[in-house]
Each structure stands twice: as C-alpha cells, then as structure tokens.
Amino acid sequence: MKTLPLRLGPGDDLREALSAALAAHGAQAGFVVCGVGSLRSAALRFAGRAQAQRIAGDLEILTLSGTLGAGGPHLHASLADADGRVFGGHVAPGCVVRTTAEILLAPLADAVFTREPDAATGYAELVMRPRT
C-alpha cells in the first residue's frame, strides 16, 4: 500500500484539503487511514440526523477515517472539547484546522470511487470500480 502523509495548517478546511490532496496526487480514490490534530470549529452530522451540528471552540481530533473519491469525501471523526466531552459523527463542511492536522492517506492508483443511488438504502452509496 502506498501512503501519503499530510500536515494541514491553520485555517485549512479538513474536507476540502483532503479532496485537493487526493486530486493533486492524481488519484480518483483513496482512504483516510488515520488522523489527529486540532480544530477551531467543526460540523458533525450525528447518526440518524438530517443536519450537521456546529461545534465551536478548541477541539482535538481523536480519530479520523473515511473514503475519498469523485463523489466527495465520506469521513467520520471523534472530537474532544476543552472539557473532555467527546463528539463523533459524519464530518460535514466547516471543520477548520486550528494548529495542525496530521493525516495519513492511502491513494489508490487503480480504482475510482463514486457515489450512486442505492435502492436498498435510499442513499448515494460508495461504488468502487477499476480505473481504466
């Protein structure tokens, strides 16, 4: 497995920066293997909820994982606030790096990830194809 270590800086939007890094690497599919760091604000969509919840203040990224592809990133994270409360869920737009985010990506040179409607779930789900 080929990996791509990244260090994001203050003000970077987590989702945008990861998608841009994958594209700059020439890949159309990849995995976020792990990630740690800090955020100054976040938006997480909790299980079963339609809308993301904004979380303000200094936050630590405890875990970060997911997939990256043409249909956009699908990321999950657990975050801790200054009081040690932990929040977890789907990473929505608006997660802004405070000091740093250290992330390990695994770009896949021979694959393409898209999101397509799935009749069984009613959602746009991951479809994996070989890159031609």
Side-chain angles (χ1 to χ4, degrees), residues 91-112:
V91 175
C95 293
V96 180
V97 174
R98 182 168 58 93
T99 60
T100 189
E102 302 155 3
I103 299 162
L104 184 62
L105 295 185
L108 304 174
D110 298 329
V112 175

Side-chain angles (χ1 to χ4, degrees), residues 59 62 79-87:
L59 301 161
L62 304 177
L79 310 172
D81 69 11
D83 294 319
R85 290 179 296 217
V86 176
F87 306 89

Side-chain angles (χ1 to χ4, degrees), residues 35-82:
V36 297
S38 66
L39 301 175
R40 66 176 175 219
S41 64
L44 293 178
R45 185 175 51 77
F46 302 137
R49 301 268 178 94
Q51 300 296 322
Q53 168 104 19
R54 301 279 319 147
I55 304 168
D58 295 345
L59 301 161
E60 291 292 331
I61 301 170
L62 304 177
T63 63
L64 176 68
S65 62
T67 58
L68 301 169
H74 182 198
L75 305 170
H76 288 205
S78 57
L79 310 172
D81 69 11

